[in-house]
Amino acid sequence: MNYFLKANKNLLTYSLIILIVIPIFGFNFFISFVGNILLLLFLIPLLLLVLVFMGFNSYKSKINTCNNCGAISLGLSETCMNCGADLENISKKNQLNKKPSESTIEVEAEEIK
C-alpha cells in the first residue's frame, strides 16, 4: 500500500484538489471552466484560419498584371520586369477611368445544330 501511495502521489494530489475545489466553487464553476477551455481550443484554430485568409487576400491584392505582355508582378516595382511598361499608370488607369460599360464583355448567343 505504501508503494501505491508513492507511485501515485500526483494522482492523489490532483484528486484531493478536485475534491476540495468542486464543493467550494460548485459543480457549475467546474463545468463552465472546462467548457471555456474547450471553447478556446476550438476558437484558436478558427482565429488562425481567419488570419491566414486575411493575409492571403492582402497578398492577392498586391499582385499586378501587365496589360502589354500579361506578366504577373507582386507590386514591388513600378515597371513590368518583362516588357518595361509602367504598371502604376496602367493600374490607376484601369481602376479609375474605366466606365462599367467598357469592362463588360459582350456575349452573342449561337444556335448549336
Side-chain angles (χ1 to χ4, degrees):
M1 184 73 175
N2 197 13
Y3 173 75
F4 178 77
L5 292 176
K6 286 181 182 177
N8 295 318
K9 185 177 180 182
N10 288 335
L11 179 66
L12 285 174
T13 305
Y14 293 133
S15 299
L16 286 175
I17 290 172
I18 289 174
L19 288 174
I20 292 171
V21 167
I22 288 177
I24 291 174
F25 295 111
F27 193 69
N28 193 13
F29 170 78
F30 183 71
I31 294 296
S32 65
F33 182 71
V34 171
N36 287 337
I37 290 175
L38 289 175
L39 188 64
L40 281 176
L41 288 176
F42 287 116
L43 287 180
I44 288 174
L46 185 64
L47 178 66
L48 291 175
L49 186 65
V50 167
L51 289 175
V52 166
F53 181 72
M54 287 173 49
F56 178 72
N57 281 343
S58 173
Y59 174 74
K60 191 177 171 184
S61 68
K62 293 180 181 180
I63 294 176
N64 291 331
T65 304
C66 179
N67 284 345
N68 289 341
C69 65
I72 297 173
S73 67
L74 291 176
L76 300 175
S77 64
E78 297 176 0
T79 59
C80 177
M81 294 173 65
N82 198 20
C83 67
D86 194 11
L87 291 176
E88 194 167 307
N89 290 338
I90 290 172
S91 64
K92 285 181 183 176
K93 217 185 295 180
N94 287 342
Q95 291 175 357
L96 301 177
N97 295 335
K98 262 193 175 179
K99 296 178 183 175
S101 62
E102 292 175 358
S103 62
T104 305
I105 299 172
E106 300 280 335
V107 178
E108 294 180 18
E110 295 179 9
E111 187 176 326
I112 300 175
K113 295 182 182 183

